[in-house]
Amino acid sequence: MHISKIRLWNFRRFGSTKEFDISSPNLEVKFQKGINLIVGENDSGKSAIIDAIKYMLSAHGYESTRPNDSDFFHGSDRMRIELELTGISRNEASIFLEWLSYSKGSDGKTTVFMRMSYDSTKGMKGDVLAGPIGDGKPLNKSAKNYLKCTYLMPLRDAHTDLNPRRNSRLSQILNATPAFSIDQNDHTLYKKHAEFKEIAEKYFNNDSEDENAAIIQNAINKYVAEFSDDERKSMLLYQSGSLRSILERMQLSLVDEINPGLGTLNRLFIAAELMNFQINQSSTARIGLIEEVEAHIHPQAQMKIIETLQNESKSQFFLTSHSPNLASKVKLEKIFICNKSGVFSLSKEQTKLSPDDYQSLEWFLDVTKANLFFARSVIMVEGWSEEILIPAIADYLKRGKILKKNITESGASIVNVGSAEFRKYSNIFLRKDEIPTIGIPVSVITDLDVPEYSRKLRSDASSLPEGQDEDEDEEVIESKKYDYQLIEESEITEKKAKKESSIHETHTKQTCKAFIAPSWTLEYSLLKSKYFGKLYMEALRKAHPKFNSADAEKCLAVKLHNKSLDKPLVASYFAQKLNESEVEAIEILSEDTATYLIEAIKYACV
């Protein structure tokens, strides 16, 4: 049994000022078996989903709770939560038989499911019902106990829950295992404890060779005798208590580990909860809710935990996280992006990634690229130069009054895809059902890649001497082998139009927009820019001291053709010069060759 769907009406941030409509939930999300990783910024609704599930199922170790007035969407007086559970086994069907529903698909097969609902009007408490809409009825105690989920709160205190105390979570977990399901009087541990009771009482009641015990007894008896008219004597009794009280004295730790830290205790806590799932397979639905699963845990240990949870195929987990480290390890179809527009599954059925691109993205989604799932906006770039330059240009534009926020302040992530194959990444933000869109602005910054200089091998190149003088520039040697000619403007214009049309058709969809370098490449466009040309020339000269600034465009063209331009180094010098330069208010010029960068950054830095 697992939760396949949740629907919310006017619950927390998922609501509307429109009239309540039972046929139109404010949020509907289809969940996966196994792991469901919900990511997003603060106040995006992650905890609302976890709490909605917890309200419906109740959680081990917590008193049963229901929504209160603060859970109603602002201004609404009615709210509703629905859960749909599928994958019901024969054993589970026997438990929930009177609450089950049935539907027949187009293939003629019958699907068994259970719909749970909670409907409440402000000021009046509702009840969790199960069954068809309008005919639902409350679950009995055994059914409720079977559905109870495990919940780990975000700021969990594993130290308290694993240490001895009354009603500790560890004692609850241990008590729920088959090892403690027999009558306590027949339990080996209880019998041993009874033996200790006898030993302790003999020790304190003058039946011990320890003189200290006799001193205690004699001192008490002295006052008992003085306070009484007869010769009474005291006795010390040991209260053995119940088997549960014995478990409440237990502590979970590691062998040879002295005072383990929060991270270690947190892993132990999760291990204890999973043990409960493993042992009690037939008596629980095995649904776990873990908020901020990475709390107090080292990144490498996070990866191990996620791998383990993904292998727990018979359990279903709902995790919230702010960790790109975790997101890079979880399968794409198990990730849900939560933002102001809603909650969006990244499953194959709901994004516009092709099957091959989906698999490619899943294989190559390292931590750096996984940060795109946590961003308010995304800027996708082809290489290191753009990744180095974009933050510096954004800071420059903020100082020039073009932007109100830089990259960091706007919550934008720069994703270096390492090539022009943006579709393998950008299409993850495109929905097959185009309404609603995922709501995350995505700027795709790409080169036009239409050369403005041609290169042709000279007819006498084979007769030129090999090698070069120490003082001879590499481009001088190349110019002896090749002829570099400026291409006719009309020819370039035609090629540009075709390339731009192709790029826009591929990348400008929904909230994704392509921003194309108007002149060959990023570097060539920066050199020709009225905004940045002078500073970029200085960066070129610093990285390549022999760069011919007198014929700069041709010199750069030679380097681009020969792949001899140290792009990251030039970008680093240029970024440094931007950061050091004073900026007056900037006026955006539509015809400038760097305006595309400005517009791309403006689109993302909202």
Side-chain angles (χ1 to χ4, degrees), residues 123-143:
M124 298 181 65
K125 296 295 182 183
D127 196 6
V128 175
L129 306 177
I133 294 177
D135 296 321
K137 54 186 178 180
L139 297 165
N140 61 28
K141 185 176 180 180
S142 61

Side-chain angles (χ1 to χ4, degrees), residues 536-596:
Y536 193 74
M537 173 67 78
E538 293 175 9
L540 281 168
R541 291 294 302 274
K542 188 172 182 180
H544 297 276
K546 296 180 181 180
F547 188 87
N548 181 9
S549 55
D551 196 2
E553 289 184 23
K554 183 174 181 179
C555 187
L556 181 57
V558 172
K559 283 190 172 293
L560 291 172
H561 271 299
N562 299 330
K563 295 180 172 58
S564 60
L565 182 68
D566 193 335
K567 294 182 180 181
L569 183 61
V570 176
S572 297
Y573 287 143
F574 179 53
Q576 181 181 344
K577 290 182 179 296
L578 283 175
N579 290 334
E580 294 171 352
S581 64
E582 294 184 4
V583 187
E584 297 179 355
I586 299 171
E587 181 184 353
I588 298 179
L589 304 173
S590 60
E591 72 277 7
D592 191 85
T593 52
T595 298
Y596 82 104

Side-chain angles (χ1 to χ4, degrees), residues 382 386 446-455 484-487 492 496 499-500 503 515-528 552-563 567 593 596:
E382 292 184 16
E386 292 91 336
T446 184
D447 289 341
L448 184 63
D449 286 328
V450 175
E452 299 194 12
Y453 277 81
S454 63
R455 184 176 80 158
Y484 295 87
Q485 298 293 331
L486 189 63
I487 300 172
I492 294 175
K496 279 183 178 181
K499 194 71 178 287
E500 286 176 349
I503 293 172
F515 297 88
I516 310 165
S519 297
W520 195 351
T521 67
L522 167 81
E523 295 75 20
Y524 207 79
S525 296
L526 288 173
L527 181 64
K528 296 175 69 173
E553 289 184 23
K554 183 174 181 179
C555 187
L556 181 57
V558 172
K559 283 190 172 293
L560 291 172
H561 271 299
N562 299 330
K563 295 180 172 58
K567 294 182 180 181
T593 52
Y596 82 104

Side-chain angles (χ1 to χ4, degrees), residues 174-197:
L174 294 174
N175 193 57
T177 63
F180 297 96
S181 61
I182 63 175
D183 184 273
Q184 72 168 12
N185 295 319
D186 295 329
H187 199 281
T188 302
L189 189 58
Y190 186 78
K191 290 178 180 178
K192 293 291 183 183
H193 206 227
E195 291 175 10
F196 178 74
K197 168 184 169 67

Side-chain angles (χ1 to χ4, degrees), residues 288-441:
L289 314 175
I290 308 178
E291 294 202 69
E292 296 182 23
V293 63
E294 71 273 15
H296 312 302
I297 299 176
H298 186 275
Q300 294 303 320
Q302 294 173 20
M303 305 293 262
K304 292 178 181 178
I305 288 173
I306 282 295
E307 283 188 351
T308 300
L309 295 182
Q310 289 195 106
N311 291 331
E312 290 285 316
S313 58
K314 294 182 179 179
S315 302
Q316 186 181 29
F317 295 97
F318 296 86
L319 315 175
T320 68
S321 177
H322 295 102
S323 171
N325 196 53
L326 288 178
S328 69
K329 198 68 175 177
V330 175
K331 293 181 178 180
L332 271 177
E333 64 184 10
K334 306 287 189 177
I335 297 176
F336 297 78
I337 294 179
C338 198
N339 62 28
K340 292 179 180 179
S341 300
V343 180
F344 301 90
S345 168
L346 300 187
S347 66
K348 297 176 184 178
E349 297 77 20
Q350 298 188 51
T351 73
K352 285 198 172 184
L353 274 179
S354 69
D356 289 343
D357 287 347
Y358 196 92
Q359 186 175 20
S360 176
L361 177 56
E362 197 159 64
W363 275 103
F364 293 102
L365 196 62
D366 58 18
V367 176
T368 303
K369 296 176 181 65
N371 67 9
L372 59 87
F373 299 140
F374 298 84
R376 295 179 189 172
S377 59
V378 175
I379 301 175
M380 292 192 174
V381 298
E382 292 184 16
W384 287 106
S385 295
E386 292 91 336
E387 187 171 0
I388 293 168
L389 286 178
I390 296 302
I393 293 175
D395 289 339
Y396 182 90
L397 295 174
K398 183 184 176 184
R399 298 200 306 273
K401 312 297 183 184
I402 294 296
L403 296 179
K404 291 182 179 179
K405 299 178 182 178
N406 61 18
I407 297 294
T408 303
E409 293 165 342
S410 60
S413 286
I414 300 173
V415 178
N416 179 3
V417 303
S419 71
E421 290 296 317
F422 293 102
R423 281 175 299 177
K424 294 180 181 179
Y425 298 89
S426 62
N427 281 5
I428 196 70
F429 293 104
L430 303 183
R431 314 301 292 172
K432 286 185 178 177
D433 295 330
E434 297 193 0
I435 298 175
T437 63
I438 205 165
I440 297 176

